[in-house]
Amino acid sequence: MRAVPVRPTARLACVTSGIQRIFDTSARRSRVFEPVREGHVSIYLCGATPQSSPHIGHLRSGVAFDIVRRWFLAKGYDVAFVRNVTDIDDKILAKAAENGRPWWEWVSTYEREFTRAYNLLGVLPPSVEPRATGHVTQMVDYMRRLIDNGFAYEAAGSVYFDVAAWVRAEGSDYGSISGNRVEEMEPGEPDNRGKRGPHDFALWKAAKPGEPSWPTPWGEGRPGWHIECSAMATWYLGGSFDIHAGGLDLQFPHHENEQAQSHAAGDGFATYWMHNHWVTMAGEKMSKSLGNVLSIDNMLSTVRPVELRYYLGSAHYRSVLEYSPEALSEAAAGYRRIEDFVARAGTPEKTTWTPQFEQALNDDFSVPKALAEIHNHVREGNKALAAGDGARASEIAGGVRAMAAVLGVDPGEWARAAGEGVGGASSSEAANKALDVLVAAELERRAAARAEKDWASADAVRDRLAAAGIDITDTADGPQWALKN
């Protein structure tokens, strides 16, 4: 399967002026977006824990926040986008051991699979993609600050965050992200290494026989889960940054504990928290344990990468996306309607979006409303084509492309990437297949027009194809097409 490096959305001359609103999980309400630094947006996305192959549940987060990033880029912001890799944790170590492989080889193998999947779906590469094991120095500094502030302690070579001490502290907001109350929480990690309280969590785990470890002032060990993201987010984006994003299942304990330790260390941390909902199947969250995993390669045996991306991004990011073959097929057909219109209109250069499209994305990135606006224009453009108004259709198609580009599904960009031969022979095959589908649709319209003796419309089809460099020859077996020499 080839990777398609879809280009970032161009910063158009007509930068939007509408007010951007974001639903902030921590505040439980929609808030006006005000960046920490004018003209700049800083985003930290919790990325992969590459313990096994990615499925579409994993990729929904990547697509959802790629759209967020593209919209800010399109509005003229400079965007710093950090997506981490958790390359050491209990599950990675367990799976590597079960399969008799070195942990670093295991995690590298599946990290490459995640990168490949992101590329296939046109997710822009992050500004930086830091790994937990590469930031132990920053974690040590963070733990020192927490110990000095009285909110962490060392016990038997491990370092723990003192939840009770933080809850008692002035200004504590523990529980604001998840809505959990400490007195109602179940105990966290087992109290087997000198924890003071049942809800305290490990910032640093003392070394165990056979496990990888790194040196610290408190002894050899490896990172806890939560400390890595606080250390990496603030290292790259500063003590206070704009948006922390991730899946809904990360609200607790991961994001709650991230925020707690960051605030306890004295950092402002994230101004806004955004969480995408799950992909479900038969009402259940897609996960390895449920055995209802749908791999990326399996999906791409039935639809093209751009169609899968369209599907994963089509629902509002805070809504459940219920998977079914019918839903995927319907989404693919929806994308093809856009693609077909743009191809018939002559794939003009992008112009700009409509006020309705802008309003939709300014309202907490409402992609369903944005897609509705795109399809309204496709219908209008098809009417213009049917009326023989090619100029009007081309004008509309320019707007359609601009709006689709913000969502990462501009047919012109995907066709161009395929035409550039990305990925070698497989790209040529995919491009030829796509072209055959588009030309066949045009020939069907020509045949229908000829059957109705609508010679003007039939000739218009031939002229469009000729302008695109395609020769049509009528034979006893039906019309045949070929690229002009």
Side-chain angles (χ1 to χ4, degrees):
M1 211 48 88
R2 63 188 174 87
V4 181
V6 179
R7 294 172 175 79
T9 304
R11 295 183 189 177
L12 303 177
C14 181
V15 176
T16 66
S17 58
I19 296 174
Q20 182 72 54
R21 300 190 69 87
I22 294 175
F23 185 88
D24 178 14
T25 306
S26 183
R28 299 289 190 279
R29 61 183 175 84
S30 178
R31 297 173 55 205
V32 172
F33 177 72
E34 297 177 344
V36 171
R37 180 154 57 94
E38 186 177 356
H40 179 83
V41 177
S42 46
I43 303 173
Y44 184 89
L45 172 62
C46 279
T49 300
Q51 54 170 305
S52 56
S53 299
H55 56 67
I56 60 173
H58 296 128
L59 270 293
R60 186 187 183 189
S61 178
V63 170
F65 295 112
D66 185 60
I67 292 172
V68 170
R69 180 187 185 186
R70 286 171 181 267
W71 181 230
F72 280 126
L73 284 171
K75 293 177 74 172
Y77 285 99
D78 175 38
V79 180
F81 191 93
V82 180
R83 185 183 69 211
N84 80 300
V85 176
T86 298
D87 62 343
I88 187 76
D89 83 338
D90 293 342
K91 292 180 180 179
I92 288 171
L93 295 176
K95 292 212 171 186
E98 287 171 13
N99 290 273
R101 307 307 303 167
W103 69 273
W104 48 265
E105 179 196 59
W106 189 263
V107 76
S108 295
T109 297
Y110 291 107
E111 182 182 347
R112 287 192 297 271
E113 286 202 19
F114 270 87
T115 299
R116 172 175 165 269
Y118 288 131
N119 289 341
L120 281 168
L121 298 193
V123 174
L124 300 175
S127 305
V128 64
E129 193 166 26
R131 294 160 183 79
T133 57
H135 294 78
V136 172
T137 299
Q138 289 79 11
M139 296 180 209
V140 168
D141 177 67
Y142 229 90
M143 289 184 281
R144 280 185 171 136
R145 291 162 60 191
L146 286 167
I147 290 173
D148 290 346
N149 289 350
F151 297 116
Y153 58 91
E154 183 271 339
S158 293
V159 180
Y160 292 97
F161 183 80
D162 192 333
V163 172
W166 176 240
V167 169
R168 292 193 301 267
E170 181 179 354
S172 172
D173 54 358
Y174 195 73
S176 67
I177 294 176
S178 63
N180 290 328
R181 298 168 59 89
V182 173
E183 57 270 24
E184 298 171 354
M185 294 178 185
E186 296 291 332
E189 300 165 10
D191 184 9
N192 58 2
R193 287 182 177 262
K195 285 203 313 181
R196 295 176 183 172
H199 301 110
D200 295 354
F201 56 88
L203 303 171
W204 188 257
K205 297 183 177 184
K208 294 180 181 178
E211 288 191 353
S213 61
W214 290 261
T216 74
W218 309 283
E220 294 273 336
R222 61 181 175 88
W225 181 22
H226 316 302
I227 191 67
E228 63 173 89
C229 285
S230 290
M232 290 188 287
T234 55
W235 177 254
Y236 290 101
L237 299 177
S240 295
F241 57 94
D242 295 313
I243 297 170
H244 195 311
L248 184 67
D249 52 329
L250 297 179
Q251 284 185 358
F252 187 86
H254 187 45
H255 288 169
E256 196 71 74
N257 290 345
E258 267 191 73
Q259 177 175 261
Q261 66 198 8
S262 301
H263 287 179
D267 287 332
F269 210 54
T271 307
Y272 304 86
W273 288 85
M274 297 178 68
H275 292 91
N276 67 279
H277 217 307
W278 302 319
V279 177
T280 62
M281 190 163 68
E284 294 186 278
K285 176 179 176 287
M286 193 166 294
S287 67
K288 299 288 183 185
S289 60
L290 290 176
N292 59 2
V293 176
L294 293 173
S295 72
I296 301 302
D297 283 348
N298 182 50
M299 293 293 93
L300 295 182
S301 68
T302 60
V303 295
R304 292 176 294 163
V306 63
E307 293 166 348
L308 181 57
R309 179 192 170 99
Y310 181 97
Y311 166 69
L312 291 175
S314 60
H316 192 282
Y317 76 94
R318 289 193 292 113
S319 300
V320 172
L321 181 62
E322 174 71 11
Y323 172 78
S324 70
E326 294 77 17
L328 179 60
S329 178
E330 182 179 342
Y335 172 75
R336 288 194 294 270
R337 285 193 290 273
I338 298 172
E339 181 182 50
D340 179 62
F341 163 64
V342 169
R344 292 191 300 114
T347 59
E349 289 301 310
K350 297 186 290 288
T351 54
T352 190
W353 49 77
T354 67
Q356 292 82 0
F357 181 85
E358 177 183 345
Q359 182 179 4
L361 290 187
N362 278 344
D363 183 13
D364 193 33
F365 308 95
S366 181
V367 173
K369 292 180 180 178
L371 283 173
E373 179 67 3
I374 291 174
H375 282 287
N376 285 340
H377 275 65
V378 168
R379 285 189 287 272
E380 183 182 346
N382 281 328
K383 290 179 182 177
L385 285 174
D389 190 348
R392 175 59 180 154
S394 181
E395 177 186 356
I396 293 170
V400 167
R401 284 197 62 197
M403 292 185 282
V406 172
L407 306 183
V409 292
D410 171 25
E413 291 289 356
W414 283 83
R416 184 181 301 163
E420 288 171 351
V422 178
S426 61
S427 294
S428 298
E429 292 169 7
N432 288 337
K433 182 178 179 181
L435 181 60
D436 188 52
V437 170
L438 295 175
V439 174
E442 285 287 84
L443 293 179
E444 286 178 9
R445 291 184 184 86
R446 180 171 177 261
R450 287 164 64 110
E452 295 175 4
K453 300 190 183 326
D454 183 357
W455 309 117
S457 295
D459 290 343
V461 171
R462 178 188 285 274
D463 292 343
R464 279 198 302 271
L465 291 173
I470 297 170
D471 279 328
I472 302 300
T473 303
D474 291 310
T475 72
D477 295 324
Q480 305 293 320
W481 68 272
L483 293 173
K484 293 181 180 179
N485 294 327

